[in-house]
Amino acid sequence: MTDNLAGALCYLFGFITGILFLVLAPYNQDRNIRFHAFQSIFLNVAWIVIWIVIAIVTIAFRVIPFLGFFISAVLHFAIGIGGLVIWLYMMFKTYNGEKIVLPVVGPLAEKQAGV
């Protein structure tokens, strides 16, 4: 398997494939694949935290009869579409050999991967 494909597959099932590529013997030696595995893990953990925060915030909006439901639906939709777009973008760019360092989780992944 090529490094580009392995790096893109790190994002396929989120932190599950990220951990898998950190454990598998030939891939855990490559710094680029380790970077993408760590970035995938950190990105998915951040996305889960964002979902939890949005869920808590939308509970507060439920007291407003119609507007609360509308705001809640828009927030959940925006987070869902945003996560889908980032996920597909990262897989596409990584498969094409480009290294994208995400703003918050990217430097953490670089530090962990030793890049």
Side-chain angles (χ1 to χ4, degrees), residues 4-54:
N4 292 351
L5 180 60
L9 288 177
C10 288
Y11 297 99
L12 185 62
F13 293 118
F15 61 88
I16 295 170
T17 51
I19 292 171
L20 186 66
F21 277 98
L22 286 176
V23 173
L24 292 176
Y27 304 110
N28 62 3
Q29 304 300 322
D30 188 346
R31 288 183 181 180
N32 191 32
I33 295 173
R34 287 177 50 87
F35 165 74
H36 289 294
F38 276 118
Q39 185 164 265
S40 171
I41 292 168
F42 295 153
L43 175 64
N44 281 279
V45 168
W47 195 38
I48 290 169
V49 168
I50 289 171
W51 269 107
I52 292 170
V53 169
I54 293 299

